[in-house]
Amino acid sequence: MSQQILEGLAAIVNEVAGVPVADVQLDKSFIDDLDIDSLSMVEVVIAAEDKWGVKIPDSEVKNLKTVGDAVTFISANSK
Amino acid sequence: MTRQVVVTGLGMTTPVGGDAPSSWRAILAGEPGIARIDEPWTHDQPSKIAGIMAVDPASCLAPHEARRLDRSQQAALVAAREAWADAGAPEIDPDRLGAVVATGMGGLISLISSYDLLLERGASRISPHMVTMIMPNGSAAHVGLEIGARAGVHTPVSACASGAEAVSYAARMIQEGRADVVVAGGTEAVIHPITMAGFAAMRALSTRNDDPAAASRPYDIDRDGFVMGEGAGIMVLESAEFAAARGAKIYGVYGGSGLTSDGHHIAQPDPEGRGATRAIAGALSDAGLSTGDIVHVNAHATSTPQGDIAESAAIVAALGSHTGNVAVTGTKSMTGHLLGGAGAVESIFTVLALRDRLVPPTANLHNLDPQINLDIVAGAPRPLPAGDIAALNNSFGFGGHDVALVFRSA
């Protein structure tokens, strides 16, 4: 499950920000490692919500510092 | 003594070509880029034809770039990258580098698409890039970011005169010493049922739907309106000293500009073209030239019944007895009307005509309207004389905006 979410998330990050899929690893920080700005992060959230049917509130987004944080949140909350 | 401004790089994406060289080849060959709009929404549109960009600008960009840009911004960025590379990507202090990119309507289509999405899926689905996609200064800002411009980024908005106004504004930045290099031009991409319906409601569009390539026919007695186009034109302007110091190739020299307003009607031209006459005279004066120095006019020539006559009257009034020595062309006969992009694209055609000493033909001119008292180039390109020559580019916009630009041979 987590591997599938990681792959899906990598595809989204690639599409939104042009980051190579292979660079999107669990330990990578969206801001510091992948250079995802706050606007692109909103796009990632919208795409992830659509893909996995989760709701990611703004209050939660700031806790999703790494790709692994996002994968954990999505796998715990997706329907 | 104002600083001399030269043109050192060209870029465009138009209905006749995906870059400046291919667009210019098509224009010299007299090949219109107008076609039937292949969309179901045209069924109740009076005008079902347009000049769609020959190469989709999104296909020239990385997917993550294209998704955060309005189509007009995509076109501007594609043209700006071409122009910047063509100029040799000048090494310059960013504080001395500017960008001026005009548009008539900005990211209108992105706004409409976003509203459609909002109605369909709700507020939470709106892209965080929507605001920067619709703001009229978005193209200038993205081009400015691309090259790292810090001397100033600006967006004149004057409907179909916008692109020409941008060139004038950019040249002033250099003349006044604010910048040494300015990337300047205009862009537009608003082919959509709502805009087509709006221009059609004004009875401004050609309805020659059965023969799209022949629909835009400036000066022809059977013209019936303009044809909507889309695309962008960008040129790199720089001070002559800066260009000389880095050994840049020079396409031509910016001469001067004249900017006036009609004070007549919100959308109709002054029938006598008085504002346009004053703009042309102002441009000649600004360039320090006399009427006899002009050998070519790239006219606004949208193919509307009244507009072409008013401009003809203005050219005759401004150039007087020299009018007969001037080779006039209307390149919208091939590109359609690029609205806020038109003045920039046609400035580039004017510069290329001076460089190649060849005036492109006006396509579809078979029976000259007897009210047009100009020497219109038709059928084949016409050579221009050797020596120092100069040319005019006219652009007028709804709202009564008149802009004339003068360029000189290098």
Side-chain angles (χ1 to χ4, degrees):
Chain A
M1 181 66 184
S2 288
Q3 185 58 32
Q4 282 175 348
I5 291 172
L6 175 61
E7 285 170 13
L9 206 52
I12 288 170
V13 169
N14 174 259
E15 191 182 332
V16 165
V19 176
V21 169
D23 291 359
V24 184
Q25 301 292 338
L26 293 174
D27 62 338
K28 293 289 170 65
S29 157
F30 285 109
I31 295 170
D32 298 331
D33 297 324
L34 304 180
D35 202 23
I36 304 290
D37 65 19
S38 62
L39 297 184
S40 294
M41 194 62 196
V42 175
E43 279 196 288
V44 170
V45 167
I46 290 174
E49 286 182 340
D50 281 351
K51 186 171 177 64
W52 287 289
V54 291
K55 181 80 190 108
I56 309 177
D58 282 356
S59 56
E60 191 60 44
V61 173
K62 63 176 182 292
N63 299 326
L64 306 181
K65 296 195 188 321
T66 67
V67 174
D69 295 338
V71 169
T72 303
F73 182 88
I74 291 164
S75 67
N77 292 277
S78 61
K79 298 177 189 118
Chain B
M1 181 70 187
T2 54
R3 306 203 304 164
Q4 191 170 76
V5 177
V6 295
V7 181
T8 58
L10 304 176
M12 61 171 73
T13 179
T14 73
V16 296
D19 57 18
S22 63
S23 295
W24 182 234
R25 273 194 302 276
I27 292 296
L28 283 178
E31 295 168 356
I34 311 302
R36 187 94 174 184
I37 301 171
D38 186 22
E39 298 280 354
W41 56 255
T42 58
H43 74 278
D44 66 344
Q45 294 277 342
S47 180
K48 307 174 193 296
I49 54 178
I52 310 278
M53 280 183 263
V55 176
D56 182 359
S59 73
C60 306
L61 300 169
H64 72 279
E65 292 177 316
R67 62 184 280 122
R68 60 185 68 176
L69 299 173
D70 178 74
R71 186 168 167 88
S72 64
Q73 299 171 348
Q74 294 173 355
L77 189 57
V78 168
R81 282 179 178 170
E82 181 192 356
W84 189 248
D86 185 42
E91 278 187 31
I92 180 168
D93 174 1
D95 291 356
R96 303 290 303 161
L97 174 62
V100 185
V101 182
T103 177
M105 298 189 157
L108 179 65
I109 307 309
S110 290
L111 175 61
I112 295 169
S113 307
S114 298
Y115 187 60
D116 289 344
L117 184 65
L118 180 140
L119 293 179
E120 193 184 325
R121 303 199 51 208
S124 67
R125 299 300 94 172
I126 295 304
S127 167
H129 301 294
M130 188 211 71
V131 171
T132 55
M133 288 168 80
I134 68 171
M135 62 189 195
N137 56 314
S139 286
H142 279 293
V143 168
L145 283 168
E146 172 77 11
I147 57 175
R150 292 186 195 156
V153 169
H154 306 280
T155 305
V157 177
S158 50
C160 306
S162 305
E165 198 168 328
V167 173
S168 172
Y169 192 103
R172 289 258 186 269
M173 287 176 73
I174 297 168
Q175 289 175 330
E176 291 169 0
R178 284 179 59 197
D180 295 316
V181 178
V182 181
V183 173
T187 186
E188 203 79 72
V190 290
I191 298 171
H192 182 281
I194 194 70
T195 47
M196 294 293 285
F199 283 113
M202 301 173 84
R203 307 298 188 264
L205 296 178
S206 170
T207 57
R208 196 179 292 271
N209 298 317
D210 57 349
D211 193 2
S216 185
R217 45 197 312 130
Y219 309 120
D220 189 275
I221 191 73
D222 294 320
R223 68 192 185 280
D224 72 331
F226 78 80
V227 174
M228 186 80 106
E230 60 167 10
I234 301 281
M235 55 170 63
V236 177
L237 296 174
E238 56 188 291
S239 78
E241 309 92 85
F242 192 86
R246 70 182 189 89
K249 71 169 180 288
I250 313 287
Y251 282 99
V253 179
Y254 167 84
S257 55
L259 297 89
T260 63
S261 49
D262 279 354
H264 170 74
H265 187 274
I266 189 67
Q268 289 166 6
D270 177 339
E272 293 173 45
R274 285 171 294 198
T277 304
R278 288 185 294 117
I280 296 169
L284 285 170
S285 168
D286 189 36
L289 297 177
S290 63
T291 52
D293 295 316
I294 301 297
V295 297
H296 165 47
V297 178
N298 185 308
H300 189 58
T302 61
S303 185
T304 60
Q306 299 145 330
D308 290 4
I309 290 172
E311 183 181 14
S312 171
I315 292 171
V316 171
L319 299 184
S321 61
H322 291 285
T323 307
N325 307 324
V326 174
V328 180
T329 194
T331 48
K332 288 188 182 77
S333 57
M334 294 165 275
T335 60
H337 194 346
L338 272 57
L339 309 182
V345 164
E346 289 152 23
S347 287
I348 293 172
F349 290 154
T350 307
V351 168
L352 288 172
L354 289 170
R355 184 199 65 170
D356 293 351
R357 297 188 187 257
L358 209 51
V359 175
T362 305
N364 302 316
L365 175 54
H366 302 300
N367 298 299
L368 183 66
D369 182 337
Q371 293 189 76
I372 304 293
N373 300 303
L374 302 172
D375 180 9
I376 312 292
V377 179
R382 186 187 300 176
L384 288 171
D388 291 336
I389 54 174
L392 269 168
N393 171 223
N394 288 339
S395 297
F396 314 121
F398 285 161
H401 309 278
D402 305 296
V403 180
L405 301 174
V406 170
F407 293 96
R408 295 194 282 112
S409 54

